Amino acid sequence: MLESPANEDLSAYLDGELPPEASARVERALSSDPSLQAELEQLRMVRSMLSKHGRVEAPFGFKARVLAAVADEPAPISTWRTWLRRPFGVPIEGFAVALAALLVVVVVGNREQAGDGVLPNNFDAPTPAGEQVIVNPERDAARAQQRQLSLPEPEATPAPTQVDKGEADSVTTVVRGGSVEGLATAADTIPSTDAPDIPTAVTVPSEGFAAAPSPEPVAQPSGTAAGDAPALFGASYRYQVSTSDPDAAAQLLRLAGRYGGRVSDPSGRQVTASLGAGDNGSYRVQVPAENLAEFGASLRALGSVVEHPDDRIFASSSVTIQVDLVQSAP
Amino acid sequence: MEHAPVIGLIWATVGRATDRELVAQFQGGDASAYSEIVHRYQNRVFTLALRWMRDHAVAEEVAQDVFIALFRSLGTFRGDAKLSTWVYRVVVNHCKNRIQYRRRRHMDRHEPLEGVGVDDDSPRRQLASHAPGADASRHRSEAEQLVADGLAQLDEEQRMIIVLRDIEDLSYEEIGAIMDVPRGTVKSRLHRARTQLATVLSRRIGAEDVL
């Protein structure tokens, strides 16, 4: 019934994807053809159904699992930052070593020029303009000896920077937004490009589409195997549960207990006594990370759950969830 | 107080960063921007992966891999295309590759895709439990089930195109860029998909019930 090539235009017409003249042609046909109108209605029905019922929510805790999965990844670096790490194709560590070596040469050279590696005593006292400096080697040597006994060396002489290979192999960068602890710690060490590759877990072949990243070997957080300790990355959630059940707080307490969790009130006091009607409010629930999915699923049984976007990730084996029990109409 | 809605609207407009701004923040080292990107796209990515793979566990694996790939690649994202288009392309690539990978291993020779769980050599991921009650799909409405069943009748390409158009509301141009097919192909495949779906749905329910 919708086989004629012209009918392809019907879908495009429905989507507003036809040029004006083609659109007018379809409208003329529609005005004189009831069967075409019926076809259009069918297409509209399909579109409407898909748009209303086609979307699927990501599983409970999906976002936290993604953030945990990338917690071990190096901090994001943009192209210009990449360039800064390897200006002119030379690793920045190379420049650091060269600079340190240059400093050593300059400082040692100055010291030798000043005599026996000890600076003259007027080094740290600026000479007033026009004042003549009288050099007295014996006096300077005596004072210098005194300085060596009483003052820490670096204040008078910049110590040559010691750069060993270990230091040169890494560079430290500070990640802004320290509140997002899970993605990178405040000071995150980026391995040098010479560092061994991240172990790969699976290789999915890539093809086509050069602009978007092709599937790559996925490095997983280490220690996700059963029995490995602190491999779990906890997450802090905030969930709003709209419920018509006045005893939801009591149920929350029972659920938390079932999954090895603890419930505390906003002031941090642990709630152990049974809760009753009217106790719905905000609670903090700490559950073992491995029970997160089950606990989250059970939360959904209490009412409709809204995930707030301000998740925080912490490196721990337990998850703290703020649960806001909001009374809704039955 | 009466200005509160207006202030709220202004705040919502100003406070919600655009995709482009989020990418720039991420590239500048602000990791919280990534969290927002995941939040913004998780349902879209998961929907697309699920409609393609037709298995919750596999779809979640794919969706996680997509976001991990994005994390690694956003640093070099130049913004030539919209972030959404880019994300969808990554999903499509991952789904295609996953299907091809499994076909090469003859994993679908004896087992339907829907029944296959995690591959033996796939990485361990933190996946949601699919114990009773954990799967929201178990509680979905009859209409949602009908849509899922109807989509399952289509071939992969048709399914993707109709999902991108009628669920994700993308233009033919964007769909063509994502699927790497000409605009005319999008138009014809979309029409065939809708026609086929209309036939399936009409058999199951009357149009009045749906609308």
Side-chain angles (χ1 to χ4, degrees):
Chain A
M1 101 186 132
L2 297 171
E3 298 306 319
S4 74
N7 284 345
E8 287 181 8
D9 283 350
L10 212 50
S11 266
Y13 171 76
L14 184 64
D15 294 328
E17 292 270 358
L18 280 184
E21 61 274 21
S23 196
R25 201 166 48 241
V26 171
E27 280 170 1
R28 278 197 300 275
L30 279 170
S31 63
S32 60
D33 187 346
S35 69
L36 207 58
Q37 289 172 18
E39 289 168 12
L40 182 65
E41 276 315 301
Q42 277 202 312
L43 297 176
R44 205 190 299 278
M45 177 268 288
V46 169
R47 196 176 71 163
S48 164
M49 264 209 87
L50 283 169
S51 115
K52 280 183 193 164
H53 306 292
R55 176 85 76 188
V56 186
E57 273 186 32
F60 185 84
F62 173 79
K63 178 181 165 187
R65 288 189 288 279
V66 168
L67 297 183
V70 300
D72 278 353
E73 294 279 324
I77 304 173
S78 65
T79 43
W80 64 269
R81 292 179 123 220
T82 307
W83 185 88
L84 283 178
R85 285 187 63 204
R86 293 182 67 89
F88 308 110
V90 179
I92 191 69
E93 295 87 347
F95 281 98
V97 172
L99 184 63
L102 187 65
L103 274 173
V104 170
V105 169
V106 169
V107 169
V108 170
N110 280 345
R111 288 171 61 142
E112 285 178 352
Q113 203 172 16
D116 208 14
V118 179
L119 293 174
N121 68 332
N122 57 358
F123 176 78
D124 52 358
T127 305
E131 186 178 327
Q132 189 181 2
V133 177
I134 300 169
V135 177
N136 182 339
E138 287 178 12
R139 183 198 63 193
D140 287 345
R143 285 188 179 176
Q145 197 172 11
Q146 196 178 0
R147 285 171 60 88
Q148 279 185 317
L149 291 172
S150 60
L151 292 175
E153 176 76 16
E155 284 194 23
T157 309
T161 309
Q162 297 262 328
V163 180
D164 62 25
K165 191 167 186 327
E167 286 175 355
D169 273 350
S170 67
V171 60
T172 300
T173 185
V174 175
V175 177
R176 276 208 325 263
S179 59
V180 187
E181 294 85 351
L183 297 179
T185 52
D188 191 19
T189 300
I190 299 173
S192 78
T193 50
D194 297 332
D197 290 332
I198 299 167
T200 57
V202 67
T203 303
V204 183
S206 65
E207 68 169 31
F209 188 39
S214 296
E216 296 178 8
V218 177
Q220 293 300 305
S222 58
T224 48
D228 282 358
L232 295 168
F233 291 87
S236 178
Y237 295 91
R238 185 171 170 217
Y239 287 101
Q240 185 175 317
V241 182
S242 298
T243 175
S244 58
D245 184 352
D247 290 326
Q251 289 193 48
L252 176 68
L253 194 59
R254 279 196 294 275
L255 288 172
R258 187 185 303 166
Y259 294 104
R262 289 184 309 170
V263 179
S264 55
D265 63 19
S267 66
R269 277 182 306 214
Q270 191 173 347
V271 179
T272 52
S274 58
L275 299 168
D279 284 332
N280 290 355
S282 289
Y283 294 94
R284 294 177 75 80
V285 184
Q286 196 172 25
V287 292
E290 64 267 24
N291 293 345
L292 170 65
E294 285 80 5
F295 177 72
S298 65
L299 263 187
R300 286 177 182 266
L302 289 183
S304 63
V305 178
V306 176
E307 181 183 358
H308 287 261
D310 55 348
D311 292 3
R312 301 284 187 265
I313 297 294
F314 300 92
S316 74
S317 58
S318 66
V319 184
T320 303
I321 304 172
Q322 180 174 329
V323 181
D324 302 321
L325 296 172
V326 180
Q327 198 69 35
S328 63
Chain B
M1 285 295 288
E2 57 197 33
H3 296 300
V6 178
I7 292 170
L9 183 64
I10 293 170
W11 175 249
T13 309
V14 174
R16 186 178 159 86
T18 63
D19 282 356
R20 192 176 290 271
E21 287 166 345
L22 284 175
V23 170
Q25 287 168 18
F26 180 80
Q27 290 179 340
D30 182 358
S32 67
Y34 176 75
S35 178
E36 175 59 23
I37 288 170
V38 176
H39 182 77
R40 199 170 281 187
Y41 281 97
Q42 60 178 351
N43 288 345
R44 286 186 253 182
V45 167
F46 185 72
T47 296
L48 201 53
L50 179 64
R51 294 306 181 206
W52 196 313
M53 307 305 296
R54 295 156 61 197
D55 178 273
H56 263 79
V58 177
E60 182 171 350
E61 276 181 41
V62 169
Q64 277 199 30
D65 288 351
V66 165
F67 282 113
I68 292 169
L70 285 178
F71 184 88
R72 291 173 178 166
S73 317
L74 271 174
T76 56
F77 179 68
R78 294 190 306 250
D80 298 339
K82 287 201 307 191
L83 178 65
S84 57
T85 309
W86 200 55
V87 170
Y88 288 128
R89 286 192 74 159
V90 178
V91 179
V92 167
N93 274 357
H94 272 75
C95 287
K96 277 183 179 173
N97 286 320
R98 177 61 71 99
I99 295 277
Q100 284 172 2
Y101 173 74
R102 290 166 71 179
R103 279 187 183 147
R104 270 205 303 275
R105 288 171 55 100
H106 306 288
M107 289 192 68
D108 57 344
R109 178 172 290 177
H110 304 295
E111 301 174 71
L113 287 179
E114 299 92 313
V116 179
V118 180
D119 296 337
D120 291 342
D121 55 354
S122 64
R124 286 194 179 95
R125 298 170 181 80
Q126 300 182 32
L127 296 174
S129 164
H130 291 278
D135 187 349
S137 69
R138 291 174 197 277
H139 306 293
R140 61 189 171 196
S141 69
E142 194 182 345
E144 287 167 340
Q145 189 60 53
L146 275 171
V147 166
D149 292 347
L151 286 171
Q153 308 280 320
L154 307 178
D155 69 40
E156 286 159 9
E157 297 282 328
Q158 286 181 344
R159 197 158 60 231
M160 272 309 94
I161 285 177
I162 200 169
V163 166
L164 289 171
R165 173 61 219 174
D166 290 343
I167 299 178
E168 304 304 332
D169 203 25
L170 302 187
S171 69
Y172 289 14
E173 210 69 51
E174 289 171 307
I175 297 169
I178 290 164
M179 302 290 294
D180 209 14
V181 293
R183 191 177 178 283
T185 307
V186 173
K187 185 177 156 187
S188 57
R189 284 185 186 170
L190 177 64
H191 181 70
R192 276 202 299 274
R194 278 179 176 159
T195 307
Q196 198 172 328
L197 201 49
T199 309
V200 172
L201 293 177
S202 300
R203 258 191 252 132
R204 299 279 297 268
I205 51 170
E208 296 80 11
D209 296 330
V210 180
L211 296 169

PDB file of all heavy atoms in Angstrom, chain B residues 5 19 24 50 63 84-85 92 105 107 115 118 122 129-130 143-144 155-157 172 177 186-187 199-200 204 206:
ATOM      1  N   PRO B   5       9.726  32.370  38.897  1.00  0.00           N
ATOM      2  CA  PRO B   5       9.780  31.554  37.679  1.00  0.00           C
ATOM      3  C   PRO B   5      10.685  32.152  36.609  1.00  0.00           C
ATOM      4  O   PRO B   5      11.407  31.444  35.915  1.00  0.00           O
ATOM      5  CB  PRO B   5       8.319  31.512  37.212  1.00  0.00           C
ATOM      6  CG  PRO B   5       7.514  31.822  38.419  1.00  0.00           C
ATOM      7  CD  PRO B   5       8.352  32.755  39.233  1.00  0.00           C
ATOM      8  N   ASP B  19      26.757  22.059  24.963  1.00  0.00           N
ATOM      9  CA  ASP B  19      27.691  20.951  24.719  1.00  0.00           C
ATOM     10  C   ASP B  19      29.086  21.481  24.414  1.00  0.00           C
ATOM     11  O   ASP B  19      30.089  20.955  24.884  1.00  0.00           O
ATOM     12  CB  ASP B  19      27.195  20.104  23.539  1.00  0.00           C
ATOM     13  CG  ASP B  19      26.062  19.171  23.949  1.00  0.00           C
ATOM     14  OD1 ASP B  19      25.726  19.140  25.154  1.00  0.00           O
ATOM     15  OD2 ASP B  19      25.503  18.504  23.069  1.00  0.00           O
ATOM     16  N   ALA B  24      34.734  22.336  25.983  1.00  0.00           N
ATOM     17  CA  ALA B  24      35.844  23.264  26.243  1.00  0.00           C
ATOM     18  C   ALA B  24      36.303  23.151  27.697  1.00  0.00           C
ATOM     19  O   ALA B  24      37.507  23.162  27.977  1.00  0.00           O
ATOM     20  CB  ALA B  24      35.410  24.693  25.925  1.00  0.00           C
ATOM     21  N   LEU B  50      20.699  -0.206  23.012  1.00  0.00           N
ATOM     22  CA  LEU B  50      19.732  -1.274  23.304  1.00  0.00           C
ATOM     23  C   LEU B  50      18.898  -1.601  22.078  1.00  0.00           C
ATOM     24  O   LEU B  50      18.641  -2.767  21.783  1.00  0.00           O
ATOM     25  CB  LEU B  50      18.821  -0.850  24.462  1.00  0.00           C
ATOM     26  CG  LEU B  50      17.746  -1.875  24.833  1.00  0.00           C
ATOM     27  CD1 LEU B  50      18.382  -3.164  25.357  1.00  0.00           C
ATOM     28  CD2 LEU B  50      16.777  -1.315  25.855  1.00  0.00           C
ATOM     29  N   ALA B  63      27.407   0.845  25.772  1.00  0.00           N
ATOM     30  CA  ALA B  63      27.254   2.241  26.215  1.00  0.00           C
ATOM     31  C   ALA B  63      28.439   2.665  27.080  1.00  0.00           C
ATOM     32  O   ALA B  63      28.957   3.779  26.953  1.00  0.00           O
ATOM     33  CB  ALA B  63      25.939   2.400  26.974  1.00  0.00           C
ATOM     34  N   SER B  84      26.516  15.912  19.759  1.00  0.00           N
ATOM     35  CA  SER B  84      25.513  14.839  19.707  1.00  0.00           C
ATOM     36  C   SER B  84      25.750  13.953  18.488  1.00  0.00           C
ATOM     37  O   SER B  84      25.718  12.723  18.583  1.00  0.00           O
ATOM     38  CB  SER B  84      24.105  15.428  19.675  1.00  0.00           C
ATOM     39  OG  SER B  84      23.958  16.294  18.579  1.00  0.00           O
ATOM     40  N   THR B  85      26.004  14.569  17.354  1.00  0.00           N
ATOM     41  CA  THR B  85      26.259  13.783  16.142  1.00  0.00           C
ATOM     42  C   THR B  85      27.470  12.885  16.340  1.00  0.00           C
ATOM     43  O   THR B  85      27.473  11.715  15.962  1.00  0.00           O
ATOM     44  CB  THR B  85      26.518  14.727  14.945  1.00  0.00           C
ATOM     45  OG1 THR B  85      25.460  15.668  14.883  1.00  0.00           O
ATOM     46  CG2 THR B  85      26.603  13.966  13.647  1.00  0.00           C
ATOM     47  N   VAL B  92      27.137   4.138  16.949  1.00  0.00           N
ATOM     48  CA  VAL B  92      26.903   3.319  15.751  1.00  0.00           C
ATOM     49  C   VAL B  92      28.135   2.483  15.430  1.00  0.00           C
ATOM     50  O   VAL B  92      28.044   1.284  15.153  1.00  0.00           O
ATOM     51  CB  VAL B  92      26.508   4.228  14.562  1.00  0.00           C
ATOM     52  CG1 VAL B  92      26.568   3.462  13.251  1.00  0.00           C
ATOM     53  CG2 VAL B  92      25.110   4.791  14.771  1.00  0.00           C
ATOM     54  N   ARG B 105      33.103 -14.475  15.216  1.00  0.00           N
ATOM     55  CA  ARG B 105      33.345 -15.568  16.162  1.00  0.00           C
ATOM     56  C   ARG B 105      32.229 -16.608  16.113  1.00  0.00           C
ATOM     57  O   ARG B 105      32.188 -17.512  16.930  1.00  0.00           O
ATOM     58  CB  ARG B 105      33.450 -15.009  17.582  1.00  0.00           C
ATOM     59  CG  ARG B 105      34.739 -14.237  17.821  1.00  0.00           C
ATOM     60  CD  ARG B 105      34.657 -13.532  19.155  1.00  0.00           C
ATOM     61  NE  ARG B 105      34.346 -14.481  20.221  1.00  0.00           N
ATOM     62  CZ  ARG B 105      35.228 -15.004  21.052  1.00  0.00           C
ATOM     63  NH1 ARG B 105      36.472 -14.648  20.953  1.00  0.00           N
ATOM     64  NH2 ARG B 105      34.862 -15.843  21.981  1.00  0.00           N
ATOM     65  N   MET B 107      29.368 -16.426  17.022  1.00  0.00           N
ATOM     66  CA  MET B 107      28.634 -16.514  18.271  1.00  0.00           C
ATOM     67  C   MET B 107      27.137 -16.466  18.063  1.00  0.00           C
ATOM     68  O   MET B 107      26.368 -16.865  18.920  1.00  0.00           O
ATOM     69  CB  MET B 107      29.047 -15.382  19.217  1.00  0.00           C
ATOM     70  CG  MET B 107      30.431 -15.585  19.759  1.00  0.00           C
ATOM     71  SD  MET B 107      30.780 -14.477  21.097  1.00  0.00           S
ATOM     72  CE  MET B 107      29.670 -15.091  22.345  1.00  0.00           C
ATOM     73  N   GLY B 115      19.994 -13.515  23.394  1.00  0.00           N
ATOM     74  CA  GLY B 115      20.268 -14.437  24.486  1.00  0.00           C
ATOM     75  C   GLY B 115      21.719 -14.482  24.903  1.00  0.00           C
ATOM     76  O   GLY B 115      22.075 -15.178  25.834  1.00  0.00           O
ATOM     77  N   VAL B 118      27.722 -11.515  28.158  1.00  0.00           N
ATOM     78  CA  VAL B 118      29.038 -10.911  27.998  1.00  0.00           C
ATOM     79  C   VAL B 118      29.969 -11.887  27.299  1.00  0.00           C
ATOM     80  O   VAL B 118      29.978 -13.076  27.600  1.00  0.00           O
ATOM     81  CB  VAL B 118      29.602 -10.560  29.381  1.00  0.00           C
ATOM     82  CG1 VAL B 118      30.972  -9.940  29.260  1.00  0.00           C
ATOM     83  CG2 VAL B 118      28.648  -9.625  30.104  1.00  0.00           C
ATOM     84  N   SER B 122      35.721 -10.315  26.890  1.00  0.00           N
ATOM     85  CA  SER B 122      35.440  -8.891  27.049  1.00  0.00           C
ATOM     86  C   SER B 122      35.916  -8.446  28.425  1.00  0.00           C
ATOM     87  O   SER B 122      36.034  -9.257  29.338  1.00  0.00           O
ATOM     88  CB  SER B 122      33.952  -8.623  26.899  1.00  0.00           C
ATOM     89  OG  SER B 122      33.251  -9.257  27.930  1.00  0.00           O
ATOM     90  N   SER B 129      22.908  -5.063  38.080  1.00  0.00           N
ATOM     91  CA  SER B 129      22.286  -6.367  38.286  1.00  0.00           C
ATOM     92  C   SER B 129      21.007  -6.423  37.473  1.00  0.00           C
ATOM     93  O   SER B 129      20.286  -5.447  37.343  1.00  0.00           O
ATOM     94  CB  SER B 129      21.956  -6.526  39.762  1.00  0.00           C
ATOM     95  OG  SER B 129      21.053  -7.586  39.922  1.00  0.00           O
ATOM     96  N   HIS B 130      20.748  -7.579  36.922  1.00  0.00           N
ATOM     97  CA  HIS B 130      19.488  -7.736  36.205  1.00  0.00           C
ATOM     98  C   HIS B 130      18.596  -8.716  36.936  1.00  0.00           C
ATOM     99  O   HIS B 130      17.821  -9.452  36.351  1.00  0.00           O
ATOM    100  CB  HIS B 130      19.743  -8.157  34.760  1.00  0.00           C
ATOM    101  CG  HIS B 130      20.375  -7.057  33.976  1.00  0.00           C
ATOM    102  ND1 HIS B 130      19.642  -6.037  33.438  1.00  0.00           N
ATOM    103  CD2 HIS B 130      21.668  -6.782  33.725  1.00  0.00           C
ATOM    104  CE1 HIS B 130      20.464  -5.190  32.839  1.00  0.00           C
ATOM    105  NE2 HIS B 130      21.687  -5.610  33.001  1.00  0.00           N
ATOM    106  N   ALA B 143       2.625  -0.320  25.767  1.00  0.00           N
ATOM    107  CA  ALA B 143       3.014   0.427  24.565  1.00  0.00           C
ATOM    108  C   ALA B 143       4.515   0.353  24.335  1.00  0.00           C
ATOM    109  O   ALA B 143       4.974   0.186  23.205  1.00  0.00           O
ATOM    110  CB  ALA B 143       2.573   1.883  24.707  1.00  0.00           C
ATOM    111  N   GLU B 144       5.280   0.452  25.426  1.00  0.00           N
ATOM    112  CA  GLU B 144       6.739   0.357  25.292  1.00  0.00           C
ATOM    113  C   GLU B 144       7.152  -1.027  24.789  1.00  0.00           C
ATOM    114  O   GLU B 144       8.064  -1.157  23.982  1.00  0.00           O
ATOM    115  CB  GLU B 144       7.408   0.669  26.631  1.00  0.00           C
ATOM    116  CG  GLU B 144       7.354   2.143  26.982  1.00  0.00           C
ATOM    117  CD  GLU B 144       7.730   2.410  28.433  1.00  0.00           C
ATOM    118  OE1 GLU B 144       7.659   1.476  29.256  1.00  0.00           O
ATOM    119  OE2 GLU B 144       8.062   3.553  28.733  1.00  0.00           O
ATOM    120  N   ASP B 155      15.278  -4.685  10.211  1.00  0.00           N
ATOM    121  CA  ASP B 155      16.705  -5.008  10.161  1.00  0.00           C
ATOM    122  C   ASP B 155      17.489  -3.885  10.852  1.00  0.00           C
ATOM    123  O   ASP B 155      16.955  -2.819  11.139  1.00  0.00           O
ATOM    124  CB  ASP B 155      17.180  -5.274   8.732  1.00  0.00           C
ATOM    125  CG  ASP B 155      17.187  -4.028   7.870  1.00  0.00           C
ATOM    126  OD1 ASP B 155      17.574  -2.959   8.366  1.00  0.00           O
ATOM    127  OD2 ASP B 155      16.795  -4.122   6.693  1.00  0.00           O
ATOM    128  N   GLU B 156      18.762  -4.151  11.110  1.00  0.00           N
ATOM    129  CA  GLU B 156      19.553  -3.232  11.944  1.00  0.00           C
ATOM    130  C   GLU B 156      19.587  -1.817  11.397  1.00  0.00           C
ATOM    131  O   GLU B 156      19.424  -0.841  12.134  1.00  0.00           O
ATOM    132  CB  GLU B 156      20.975  -3.768  12.068  1.00  0.00           C
ATOM    133  CG  GLU B 156      21.082  -4.963  12.976  1.00  0.00           C
ATOM    134  CD  GLU B 156      22.327  -5.773  12.695  1.00  0.00           C
ATOM    135  OE1 GLU B 156      23.170  -5.312  11.911  1.00  0.00           O
ATOM    136  OE2 GLU B 156      22.437  -6.879  13.248  1.00  0.00           O
ATOM    137  N   GLU B 157      19.824  -1.704  10.110  1.00  0.00           N
ATOM    138  CA  GLU B 157      19.959  -0.374   9.514  1.00  0.00           C
ATOM    139  C   GLU B 157      18.653   0.404   9.615  1.00  0.00           C
ATOM    140  O   GLU B 157      18.635   1.587   9.982  1.00  0.00           O
ATOM    141  CB  GLU B 157      20.378  -0.497   8.041  1.00  0.00           C
ATOM    142  CG  GLU B 157      21.740  -1.135   7.839  1.00  0.00           C
ATOM    143  CD  GLU B 157      22.879  -0.162   8.113  1.00  0.00           C
ATOM    144  OE1 GLU B 157      22.700   1.036   7.871  1.00  0.00           O
ATOM    145  OE2 GLU B 157      23.936  -0.610   8.583  1.00  0.00           O
ATOM    146  N   TYR B 172      17.439  14.341   8.584  1.00  0.00           N
ATOM    147  CA  TYR B 172      17.946  13.361   7.611  1.00  0.00           C
ATOM    148  C   TYR B 172      19.441  13.579   7.377  1.00  0.00           C
ATOM    149  O   TYR B 172      20.199  12.627   7.192  1.00  0.00           O
ATOM    150  CB  TYR B 172      17.197  13.489   6.284  1.00  0.00           C
ATOM    151  CG  TYR B 172      15.756  12.998   6.310  1.00  0.00           C
ATOM    152  CD1 TYR B 172      15.097  12.742   7.496  1.00  0.00           C
ATOM    153  CD2 TYR B 172      15.054  12.796   5.121  1.00  0.00           C
ATOM    154  CE1 TYR B 172      13.779  12.308   7.508  1.00  0.00           C
ATOM    155  CE2 TYR B 172      13.740  12.352   5.119  1.00  0.00           C
ATOM    156  CZ  TYR B 172      13.108  12.110   6.330  1.00  0.00           C
ATOM    157  OH  TYR B 172      11.809  11.675   6.334  1.00  0.00           O
ATOM    158  N   ALA B 177      24.915  11.552   8.082  1.00  0.00           N
ATOM    159  CA  ALA B 177      26.301  11.707   8.534  1.00  0.00           C
ATOM    160  C   ALA B 177      26.654  10.624   9.551  1.00  0.00           C
ATOM    161  O   ALA B 177      27.767  10.094   9.550  1.00  0.00           O
ATOM    162  CB  ALA B 177      26.488  13.090   9.157  1.00  0.00           C
ATOM    163  N   VAL B 186      18.607   7.540   3.502  1.00  0.00           N
ATOM    164  CA  VAL B 186      17.922   7.744   4.789  1.00  0.00           C
ATOM    165  C   VAL B 186      16.428   7.838   4.543  1.00  0.00           C
ATOM    166  O   VAL B 186      15.617   7.188   5.226  1.00  0.00           O
ATOM    167  CB  VAL B 186      18.424   9.032   5.480  1.00  0.00           C
ATOM    168  CG1 VAL B 186      17.590   9.328   6.725  1.00  0.00           C
ATOM    169  CG2 VAL B 186      19.893   8.915   5.846  1.00  0.00           C
ATOM    170  N   LYS B 187      16.072   8.618   3.561  1.00  0.00           N
ATOM    171  CA  LYS B 187      14.659   8.858   3.260  1.00  0.00           C
ATOM    172  C   LYS B 187      13.946   7.549   2.902  1.00  0.00           C
ATOM    173  O   LYS B 187      12.879   7.244   3.457  1.00  0.00           O
ATOM    174  CB  LYS B 187      14.580   9.848   2.091  1.00  0.00           C
ATOM    175  CG  LYS B 187      13.202  10.295   1.722  1.00  0.00           C
ATOM    176  CD  LYS B 187      13.331  11.329   0.600  1.00  0.00           C
ATOM    177  CE  LYS B 187      12.069  11.402  -0.210  1.00  0.00           C
ATOM    178  NZ  LYS B 187      12.234  12.275  -1.393  1.00  0.00           N
ATOM    179  N   THR B 199       2.674  -1.728   9.873  1.00  0.00           N
ATOM    180  CA  THR B 199       1.988  -3.005   9.623  1.00  0.00           C
ATOM    181  C   THR B 199       1.986  -3.868  10.886  1.00  0.00           C
ATOM    182  O   THR B 199       0.964  -4.423  11.281  1.00  0.00           O
ATOM    183  CB  THR B 199       2.694  -3.756   8.476  1.00  0.00           C
ATOM    184  OG1 THR B 199       2.830  -2.875   7.370  1.00  0.00           O
ATOM    185  CG2 THR B 199       1.917  -4.983   8.067  1.00  0.00           C
ATOM    186  N   VAL B 200       3.164  -3.930  11.519  1.00  0.00           N
ATOM    187  CA  VAL B 200       3.288  -4.747  12.737  1.00  0.00           C
ATOM    188  C   VAL B 200       2.377  -4.203  13.835  1.00  0.00           C
ATOM    189  O   VAL B 200       1.630  -4.949  14.478  1.00  0.00           O
ATOM    190  CB  VAL B 200       4.759  -4.757  13.223  1.00  0.00           C
ATOM    191  CG1 VAL B 200       4.861  -5.431  14.580  1.00  0.00           C
ATOM    192  CG2 VAL B 200       5.641  -5.455  12.218  1.00  0.00           C
ATOM    193  N   ARG B 204      -1.272  -5.534  15.913  1.00  0.00           N
ATOM    194  CA  ARG B 204      -1.379  -5.730  17.366  1.00  0.00           C
ATOM    195  C   ARG B 204      -2.432  -4.836  18.000  1.00  0.00           C
ATOM    196  O   ARG B 204      -3.134  -5.246  18.909  1.00  0.00           O
ATOM    197  CB  ARG B 204      -0.011  -5.434  18.019  1.00  0.00           C
ATOM    198  CG  ARG B 204       1.104  -6.336  17.542  1.00  0.00           C
ATOM    199  CD  ARG B 204       1.090  -7.670  18.261  1.00  0.00           C
ATOM    200  NE  ARG B 204       1.318  -7.508  19.678  1.00  0.00           N
ATOM    201  CZ  ARG B 204       2.519  -7.562  20.251  1.00  0.00           C
ATOM    202  NH1 ARG B 204       3.586  -7.773  19.521  1.00  0.00           N
ATOM    203  NH2 ARG B 204       2.648  -7.433  21.546  1.00  0.00           N
ATOM    204  N   GLY B 206      -5.138  -1.150  17.531  1.00  0.00           N
ATOM    205  CA  GLY B 206      -5.743  -0.170  16.648  1.00  0.00           C
ATOM    206  C   GLY B 206      -5.054   1.156  16.822  1.00  0.00           C
ATOM    207  O   GLY B 206      -4.499   1.449  17.874  1.00  0.00           O
TER     208      GLY B 206
END
